[in-house]
Amino acid sequence: MPKICLVADIHHGTDTTTKKGSAAAALMSEFCDFVGTEDPDLVLDLGDRISDVDHDTDMVLEREAAAMFAPIAQPVHHICGNHDRDFLTVAENEEILSQSLANETIDLDGWTVVLFRADAKIHRNDDGTRGFAMPEADLVWLAGVVATATQPLAIFTHVPLSGHDQTGNYYFQKNPDFSRYPDTDRIRAVIESSRVPLACFSGHVHWNTLTTVHGIPYLTIQSLTETFTTHPEPAGAMATLDLGPDEIVLDVRGLDAFQARVPVAQTARRWVAALPPFSRHREIAARLAEE
């Protein structure tokens, strides 16, 4: 059974009201020990390794964050988060991490791990607005992976693909557009076209959640250094993900512990399409009555 160790939103840097960035190095040392004990097939970093400041500072912080993974013997794969990209290019992150950050698939004992490294930069638009943007080329790439899949897919991103509700979230309850891509409906349509079992995993929103949309489970993982759910201490979140033939098991350790178990067969079933607005039902019933 494939096993993956996950860490998200390390946010190495200075402390803020709700992030203990100064604890990142010590917590990453614990994560490396955790990986050594769990002995996974691979390790995934879901992005936001730093809290951005400016270009030169971020280069230093990213190099320090990259060095924190050095004790890990297993293959480590990285995804960029918005803080990794605010002042740094993808190429600069690639140079620091010594690996490509292009979209990628990995076959893993009956599963396909999909590293969907779509653009995670928060763009400043000409009209003064800000937000994420899903490049069409990335969505086309994902559609190709989904259309040709012959075994279950585990899709990993920084930004969640579900567009799920953020009520109660310190950062995003009043800023939901910054928790998702603007074209979530198109992204979900691609995912829901899958003919094989499928599940999606991400970071970014700094809490543990399981959201099911049309039979697809979308799971988010707590940040390593977040404190809004565990104040004043950092959550210290680190996770194992077991991708079995019959069941997906996500186990998040730390002060904000969380576990989710999802039957694989359930992820291949699609729900009945949603009803139109109830007002339309009344219109239709009235029209039929007239006839």
Side-chain angles (χ1 to χ4, degrees):
M1 178 190 307
K3 176 187 282 188
I4 298 171
C5 280
L6 299 165
V7 65
D9 298 273
I10 297 165
H11 285 287
H12 172 50
T14 57
D15 293 349
T16 66
T17 303
T18 55
K19 298 188 193 80
K20 194 72 171 178
S22 62
L27 290 170
M28 278 300 295
S29 179
E30 293 182 24
F31 177 69
C32 291
D33 292 341
F34 172 73
V35 171
T37 299
E38 294 294 332
D39 191 24
D41 296 283
L42 56 86
V43 175
L44 292 183
D45 152 38
L46 296 180
D48 274 1
R49 290 171 289 280
I50 66 169
S51 291
D52 64 272
V53 180
D54 56 47
H55 179 273
D56 291 348
T57 304
D58 290 2
M59 288 290 286
V60 173
L61 290 172
E62 285 283 2
R63 291 189 190 283
E64 291 173 349
M68 295 174 191
F69 290 89
I72 296 175
Q74 292 80 0
V76 180
H77 299 271
H78 301 275
I79 293 173
C80 279
N82 49 292
H83 286 271
D84 307 311
R85 288 281 289 109
D86 209 20
F87 293 103
L88 303 182
T89 65
V90 172
E92 287 171 325
N93 277 277
E94 289 178 326
E95 185 272 323
I96 291 168
L97 297 169
S98 300
Q99 67 179 242
S100 170
L101 293 173
N103 296 323
E104 180 181 3
T105 60
I106 302 167
D107 285 335
L108 198 64
D109 191 18
W111 282 79
T112 297
V113 171
V114 182
L115 303 182
F116 187 34
R117 297 182 172 114
D119 184 21
K121 184 179 178 67
I122 295 178
H123 296 274
R124 278 71 174 173
N125 303 315
D126 293 340
D127 62 2
T129 60
R130 298 188 302 152
F132 293 111
M134 171 65 70
E136 191 69 15
D138 284 329
L139 192 55
V140 169
W141 180 87
L142 181 63
V145 169
V146 171
T148 59
T150 58
Q151 58 187 10
L153 301 173
I155 300 177
F156 297 89
T157 58
H158 177 67
V159 180
L161 303 180
S162 63
H164 68 282
D165 184 73
Q166 296 296 315
T167 301
N169 188 289
Y170 174 81
Y171 302 96
F172 302 114
Q173 175 171 317
K174 298 182 180 180
N175 304 283
D177 289 347
F178 289 87
S179 71
R180 60 176 72 103
Y181 288 104
D183 38 9
T184 295
D185 288 347
R186 291 187 66 210
I187 298 167
R188 284 204 309 247
V190 166
I191 292 169
E192 290 163 16
S193 70
S194 175
R195 293 168 294 182
V196 300
L198 182 150
C200 298
F201 307 87
S202 60
H204 182 59
V205 289
H206 290 214
W207 61 359
N208 298 309
T209 65
L210 167 60
T211 303
T212 306
V213 184
H214 290 173
I216 303 290
Y218 297 83
L219 299 103
T220 66
I221 297 163
Q222 176 61 285
S223 157
L224 184 71
T225 57
E226 181 55 62
T227 67
F228 95 78
T229 63
T230 57
H231 188 78
E233 299 302 321
M238 49 194 74
T240 57
L241 175 65
D242 293 306
L243 298 170
D246 301 315
E247 188 176 45
I248 300 164
V249 181
L250 176 68
D251 187 5
V252 182
R253 320 286 175 83
L255 296 184
D256 195 0
F258 173 81
Q259 188 177 82
R261 310 177 76 93
V262 181
V264 171
Q266 181 176 307
T267 74
R269 291 198 297 266
R270 299 294 169 264
W271 295 351
V272 175
L275 284 170
F278 293 143
S279 60
R280 292 281 297 133
H281 285 261
R282 290 193 291 271
E283 292 172 13
I284 295 169
R287 188 164 60 247
L288 289 174
E290 291 174 357
E291 295 174 355

